[in-house]
Amino acid sequence: MSAFAIAFDVGTLEQALALDERLGPGPEVAKVGLQLFASAGPAAVRALKERGRRVFLDLKLHDIPNTVRGAAAAAGALGADLITVHATGGEEMVRAAVEGAASAGQGTRVVAVTILTSLDPASLPPGFARPFDLEATVAALLELSERAGALGIVCSAADLTGLRARRHGRPFFSVTPGIRPGGAPAHDQKRVATVAEAVALGADLLVLGRAITAAADPRAALAAARAERDAALASLQR
């Protein structure tokens, strides 16, 4: 069943805890990204874990393998359930993250970011081959990540159809950012999908951001997203 991660992209721990309160109880994962972690640090992870949330620590580690191994070990010791690295750091680096996370003994898993959903072939930085084969690149990064022991990848929902065609039925775990309830704006994301579209494409963990957290009533917005997901799942079972 497709699950939700809520992006706690706020500036202080107090704001994060207030958001958690406004969301209300539920199985959703709290995604702690760069903004909150730079402000509140490990306390943000600990506080959300104490409130019963699973935590997706989205720091997108990208450095030499030894440095990433140590950072992943520290994230694991905090109790983060998922951590992110950039797959473009290479197989050795991703493997170092997997090893570091495992060394903490908390069950922390690694997911590897492929191509950011804020980028499309027209907006890639200089140095990338033109024309850029996005589908082949994401597929290669998935294979690299799995060889390194990662749980799966972070990719656009739009990438899933091509990946599944190339995999010939072999499953993989996918985290899809840029997810919006039907009718919500795309903001600064370029490769986005609605909740229903992501479910139909087989996404495992759907990341919801401002459409929920900036809503006048985050709890009601989340309830609507759950209903959209459940309707999409039901239609797949007919």
Side-chain angles (χ1 to χ4, degrees), residues 104-168:
Q106 301 296 314
T108 303
R109 302 298 301 271
V110 173
V111 288
V113 177
T114 55
I115 302 295
L116 295 172
T117 53
S118 58
L119 295 174
D120 60 17
S123 61
L124 287 167
F128 283 80
R130 298 291 196 275
F132 180 72
D133 191 334
L134 180 64
E135 182 179 299
T137 300
V138 173
L141 292 172
L142 167 59
E143 298 293 334
L144 176 155
S145 302
E146 289 186 328
R147 288 195 305 270
L151 173 64
I153 57 169
V154 182
C155 67
S156 166
D159 299 332
L160 295 177
T161 298
L163 288 173
R164 295 194 192 287
R166 288 170 176 267
R167 298 278 291 191
H168 304 294

Side-chain angles (χ1 to χ4, degrees), residues 212 218-228:
I212 305 300
R219 188 177 303 201
L222 178 56
R226 289 174 182 153
E228 184 178 348

Side-chain angles (χ1 to χ4, degrees), residues 200-221:
L201 291 168
D204 294 294
L205 184 63
L206 288 65
V207 181
L208 294 169
R210 285 164 281 187
I212 305 300
T213 60
D217 186 343
R219 188 177 303 201

Side-chain angles (χ1 to χ4, degrees), residues 2-237:
S2 299
F4 287 135
I6 307 299
F8 278 60
D9 291 334
V10 295
T12 68
L13 178 57
E14 291 73 21
Q15 289 173 328
L17 297 181
L19 173 60
D20 189 60
E21 187 67 27
R22 295 184 73 197
L23 289 170
E28 287 75 26
V29 178
K31 186 177 84 70
V32 174
L34 293 170
Q35 181 183 7
L36 180 56
F37 198 77
S39 169
V45 177
R46 295 191 187 103
L48 289 165
K49 292 287 289 186
E50 287 171 2
R51 292 175 68 89
R53 292 283 183 193
R54 291 176 294 158
V55 173
F56 170 17
L57 186 54
D58 185 22
L59 301 184
K60 299 182 180 71
L61 302 175
H62 193 170
D63 210 313
I64 64 171
N66 190 58
T67 297
V68 169
R69 180 182 287 106
L78 278 177
D81 297 88
L82 282 177
I83 62 172
T84 51
V85 301
H86 271 292
T88 51
E91 187 171 339
E92 183 182 356
M93 191 209 75
V94 177
R95 183 174 292 108
V98 171
E99 293 168 354
S103 72
Q106 301 296 314
T108 303
R109 302 298 301 271
V110 173
V111 288
V113 177
T114 55
I115 302 295
L116 295 172
T117 53
S118 58
L119 295 174
D120 60 17
S123 61
L124 287 167
F128 283 80
R130 298 291 196 275
F132 180 72
D133 191 334
L134 180 64
E135 182 179 299
T137 300
V138 173
L141 292 172
L142 167 59
E143 298 293 334
L144 176 155
S145 302
E146 289 186 328
R147 288 195 305 270
L151 173 64
I153 57 169
V154 182
C155 67
S156 166
D159 299 332
L160 295 177
T161 298
L163 288 173
R164 295 194 192 287
R166 288 170 176 267
R167 298 278 291 191
H168 304 294
R170 287 186 296 138
F172 61 94
F173 184 85
S174 59
V175 179
T176 53
I179 303 302
R180 300 287 185 269
H187 296 299
D188 55 351
Q189 304 278 15
K190 290 185 171 64
R191 296 184 295 128
V192 301
T194 67
V195 170
E197 288 167 345
V199 170
L201 291 168
D204 294 294
L205 184 63
L206 288 65
V207 181
L208 294 169
R210 285 164 281 187
I212 305 300
T213 60
D217 186 343
R219 188 177 303 201
L222 178 56
R226 289 174 182 153
E228 184 178 348
R229 176 200 58 196
D230 294 347
L233 287 169
S235 69
L236 291 177
Q237 295 166 1

